[in-house]
Every structure is written in structure tokens, then in C-alpha cells.
Amino acid sequence: MTQKPNPLHSIKVDGPIPAHLARSIIEETLRSAILDGRLPCGTALRQQDLADLFGVSRMPVREALRQLEAQELLSVTTHKGAVVAPLIQGDATETYELRILLESEAMRQSVPLLTSADHALAAGYIEALETQHDYSEIGRLNRLFHMALYRKAPNQRLLRLVEDGLNEEERFLRFNLEAMGLGKLSQEDHRAMLQAVIERDVELSVKLLTQHLNRGVEVITRYLASPAGQHRKTVR
């Protein structure tokens, strides 16, 4: 009987990790592996296995797992402990309703404070998205574009919650974007939002963002209800 490969073998650790950086290095390494699919949904992450992998005690591992759980990249179950979370948790409509509330407020706070350099950064992500064909990279660039518009919001806790939602969407898009058939429409939305932001029209910026996210939830909900989406949910 062929032994199932251990997903942790896909993670490479270069040399000893400084004790004061252990938690952050472990968190970022695991976060990257979750986002790019090396650690698939449902993978159990046991503290001792991770401590052995990174050559550290269990304390920084435990702290890193707590951070990833707070970002909703991990869920904790009774028998498995920390497990890589599903791509879209719960109801997609509820998820996007919450995103609309959080991102709208972040947009309101950020738009008046954005500079021409911030506008250029966001425009650069749109141009990169326009020519990108790697679906993993599209998910990452989409997250970075949105965060470029929200980045000057003074409420740092709000920004962390917003980025958690974008992280969840990024993971979902990496594995489902091609099947969903999204493309140019998203970029048209992005360009319209950026123009409103450049003009410092806060209410129009928020209105366009809400329309953009509502379109997203319509497409995702329709996809998850389709035979292809149902298949993805059962095999991931």
C-alpha cells in the first residue's frame, strides 16, 4: 500500500531560526504554504511535528498557530487540533456582506489620505492583473490592489479584519478562478474604483466597491451551487 505523502515535506527550512524571530517566521512560512496550496484544506498541523520541522520548541509554534487561526486560515477541531480551514467558510453571502461593511469603512477612512504615489501603486496592480495568466498570482494581485486602496485607514484593527477577508478570497480564487470564468469585468470594476478614489469621491468609491463585491458574491454563489463547485467542495 502506497503511503500518502506528508504535506509538511513541501516546506523547506533554511538553517536554524533565531529564537526572537521564530514565531513570525513559522507564521509566515505556514501562511504562504496554505495560500499557495502546499498545505491543502483539511491538513492537520500538529505542534510537535512543526516544532521538529522548524527546530524550535512548541511555544513559538503554538503562538504562530494562534495567529493563523485568528486570520481564519486554520480551524481547531476536537480530535485533529489545528486544521487548514476550508477555502470559503460558511455562507458565501454572509461572508461578503461582512466584507462590504468592513471594506466600505476602510475605504471611507483611507481615500482622503491617499497620495498620488498610492494611486500609482494601485494602478500598477491593475496593469499587472490585465496581463497576468497565472491564477495563483491573480489572487495575490487582487488582494494587493484592494489593500492599496484601504492602506491609509487609521484603524489598524479594521485593516487586519479586512485583510483576513481578502486572504480567504485569495485562497478561494487560486483554486477556482479559472472554472468561474472571471476576468475583464473585474478589471473594469477596479479601474472605475480607482478613478473615483483619485477624484477623492468617497461616496462613489464606496458605491462602486459595494457593486463590485456584490457581483463577486453572485458569481461565487452561482459557482458553488453548480456541479463543478459542488465537486470542488467535496474534493478539497
Side-chain angles (χ1 to χ4, degrees), residues 118-218:
D118 297 317
H119 300 156
L121 179 66
Y125 291 134
I126 291 177
E127 294 309 313
L129 279 162
E130 198 69 60
T131 58
Q132 182 58 246
H133 301 292
D134 182 310
Y135 291 102
S136 295
E137 187 64 8
I138 288 172
R140 187 183 75 88
L141 290 169
N142 177 73
R143 172 175 57 83
L144 291 174
F145 167 76
H146 280 270
M147 287 305 297
L149 300 185
Y150 313 145
R151 62 184 299 182
K152 290 296 178 64
N155 189 325
Q156 292 302 304
R157 187 172 184 181
L158 172 65
L159 280 180
R160 286 195 295 272
L161 291 172
V162 165
E163 190 156 26
D164 288 346
L166 288 167
N167 283 334
E168 183 179 6
E169 182 186 51
E170 180 183 345
R171 292 180 63 222
F172 182 81
L173 292 180
R174 281 173 181 261
F175 299 106
N176 296 279
L177 188 58
E178 182 175 14
M180 289 166 60
L182 295 178
K184 295 297 182 183
L185 177 62
S186 179
Q187 295 319 299
E188 291 168 7
D189 284 0
H190 286 166
R191 291 186 189 282
M193 274 192 290
L194 178 58
Q195 187 57 42
V197 167
I198 290 172
E199 294 172 2
R200 298 191 186 279
D201 190 329
V202 175
E203 292 311 312
L204 179 57
S205 300
V206 170
K207 179 182 177 180
L208 292 171
L209 171 65
T210 301
Q211 291 174 350
H212 174 64
L213 293 179
N214 277 329
R215 266 195 281 270
V217 74
E218 287 173 9

Side-chain angles (χ1 to χ4, degrees), residues 93-108 150 158 162 206-207 209-217:
T93 302
E94 292 179 358
T95 298
Y96 269 72
E97 285 175 352
L98 183 58
R99 279 191 61 192
I100 288 169
L101 290 172
L102 295 172
E103 293 183 38
S104 294
E105 180 57 28
M107 183 83 92
R108 284 193 178 92
Y150 313 145
L158 172 65
V162 165
V206 170
K207 179 182 177 180
L209 171 65
T210 301
Q211 291 174 350
H212 174 64
L213 293 179
N214 277 329
R215 266 195 281 270
V217 74

Side-chain angles (χ1 to χ4, degrees), residues 47-119:
Q47 291 184 20
Q48 190 57 57
D49 291 344
L50 293 171
D52 293 342
L53 174 66
F54 288 98
V56 297
S57 70
R58 293 174 62 168
M59 183 177 292
V61 170
R62 188 161 50 247
E63 292 171 352
L65 294 179
R66 283 201 193 104
Q67 291 297 317
L68 294 168
E69 182 187 7
Q71 297 166 34
E72 298 188 350
L73 294 176
L74 298 178
S75 57
V76 176
T77 65
T78 304
H79 299 295
K80 282 190 171 182
V83 175
V84 177
L87 290 173
I88 288 288
Q89 299 193 56
D91 184 89
T93 302
E94 292 179 358
T95 298
Y96 269 72
E97 285 175 352
L98 183 58
R99 279 191 61 192
I100 288 169
L101 290 172
L102 295 172
E103 293 183 38
S104 294
E105 180 57 28
M107 183 83 92
R108 284 193 178 92
Q109 292 186 16
S110 180
V111 167
L113 303 176
L114 292 172
T115 66
S116 57
D118 297 317
H119 300 156

